[in-house]
Amino acid sequence: NNSSSNKVISIDLHGRTREEALSDLDAKLPEWIGVAMRGVYPFIIPVIIVCGGGNQILSEAVEGWIKGSENVAKAPQKKYS
């Protein structure tokens, strides 16, 4: 059943501290891996991580988390004309 692979998965980190955001991401990662593994090859799912603007503390923390997580990769930036 691929219905879960068609659903947009996202997490909103607005209002979280750096530590809370990283904890939330660590807690969700096994769930996201499970969804990907129940999908089809190459077992990849997109996850939208919303961290807002402001002083960039959360976006920098998320970027570090992505780089430090073995099963996570940053999506290529789409360019629109």
Side-chain angles (χ1 to χ4, degrees):
N1 182 354
N2 290 343
S3 62
S4 62
S5 65
N6 295 334
K7 181 181 174 196
V8 174
I9 298 174
S10 66
I11 184 168
D12 187 345
L13 302 176
H14 281 106
R16 302 279 199 276
T17 66
R18 180 184 186 282
E19 292 75 23
E20 290 169 336
L22 294 175
S23 177
D24 289 351
L25 292 168
D26 286 339
K28 285 293 199 177
L29 184 56
E31 177 184 329
W32 297 333
I33 291 171
V35 170
M37 295 307 292
R38 287 188 299 275
V40 295
Y41 182 83
F43 309 109
I44 297 172
I45 60 164
V47 175
I48 298 169
I49 302 173
V50 180
C51 47
N55 58 16
Q56 301 300 313
I57 289 173
L58 286 182
S59 60
E60 289 173 3
V62 168
E63 186 171 344
W65 180 83
I66 291 169
K67 288 179 180 176
S69 299
E70 184 177 313
N71 294 312
V72 180
K74 188 174 180 181
Q77 295 297 313
K78 292 181 181 176
K79 299 199 183 226
Y80 299 97
S81 52

